[in-house]
Amino acid sequence: MRKDDARQLDHKTLEELRIRSIKRGHAGESPEAISKALGPNRSTIYTWLALYRDGGWSALKSRPTPDAKPRIDGKKMVDGNLSKDKESLQDRESGYIF
């Protein structure tokens, strides 16, 4: 992965990057120039331009990841009730915890 990979950015920063890219495109800059100046791949700039053309500014907003569920229940994290889960993961014959 490249050092300046945009996937490493948080959602709010990435949203700002999309908006800046579109504003620069409106000012007459080519997607190639925007890509060199801001970092994302040229094809990504074209994708963002298409999203904006089809849906306006709201199409560039960050959205929650679909079906992203916490792996551990928040109550278990607070109460520390992970011992019950460890017992269920323990191999009864070998005694090892997986």
Side-chain angles (χ1 to χ4, degrees):
M1 203 174 326
R2 290 177 23 181
K3 189 175 185 180
D4 61 346
D5 193 346
R7 291 176 292 184
Q8 300 295 325
L9 300 173
D10 64 286
H11 293 287
K12 191 69 177 166
T13 305
L14 191 54
E15 185 178 314
E16 280 297 317
L17 185 60
R18 289 185 203 116
I19 292 169
R20 276 190 198 172
S21 298
I22 298 303
K23 286 182 179 180
R24 289 180 97 150
H26 280 277
E29 269 189 76
S30 71
E32 291 81 7
I34 297 169
S35 176
K36 285 182 182 176
L38 299 179
N41 193 303
R42 177 181 51 89
S43 63
T44 303
I45 303 296
Y46 278 110
T47 301
W48 292 345
L49 287 167
L51 282 171
Y52 172 75
R53 185 180 57 243
D54 294 340
W57 294 111
S58 61
L60 302 172
K61 296 279 185 189
S62 295
R63 291 180 289 283
T65 307
D67 295 329
K69 297 177 181 84
R71 292 176 183 242
I72 297 178
D73 184 12
K75 184 170 173 37
K76 288 182 182 178
M77 290 177 69
V78 172
D79 294 341
N81 291 334
L82 295 177
S83 60
K84 291 178 186 175
D85 290 339
K86 284 183 181 179
E87 288 173 9
S88 65
L89 295 175
Q90 187 172 7
D91 184 356
R92 304 272 187 246
E93 293 177 17
S94 65
Y96 291 111
I97 296 175
F98 296 97

